[in-house]
Amino acid sequence: MCELIDRYWNAGVHEGIIQGVAQGITQLLLCHGAIPEKLQERIQVEKNIDKLKNWIVLAAKAATIEEFEANMES
């Protein structure tokens, strides 16, 4: 029983971290204006934490939303 609780607890913690990083990206990008709906959705559905960590650095460094979006895949 404890193993089952641990598994769900860890999954919940992981999901919370992913949501928090995605929200951080969104907040950084909002400094540059409105975020296109398609981009907002792409950020929110991403579950790869390594990709999200890369994106938050990009969002912090980007001068515009367009610059961020252009560098998302690099």
Side-chain angles (χ1 to χ4, degrees), residues 6-68:
D6 286 345
R7 186 176 338 137
Y8 283 108
W9 173 262
N10 289 335
V13 169
H14 183 74
E15 182 63 29
I17 291 168
I18 286 172
Q19 288 177 2
V21 175
Q23 287 176 356
I25 294 165
T26 299
Q27 289 301 308
L28 287 167
L29 292 176
L30 283 172
C31 294
H32 302 299
I35 303 169
E37 189 174 323
K38 197 170 190 172
L39 177 58
Q40 179 69 37
E41 183 179 322
R42 183 173 178 196
I43 294 167
Q44 295 304 316
V45 301
E46 183 59 57
K47 300 301 178 200
N48 182 319
I49 191 65
D50 292 326
K51 187 176 281 190
L52 287 167
K53 288 192 290 186
N54 183 46
W55 288 356
I56 203 165
V57 171
L58 288 174
K61 292 180 177 181
T64 64
I65 291 172
E66 292 78 16
E67 180 184 332
F68 168 79

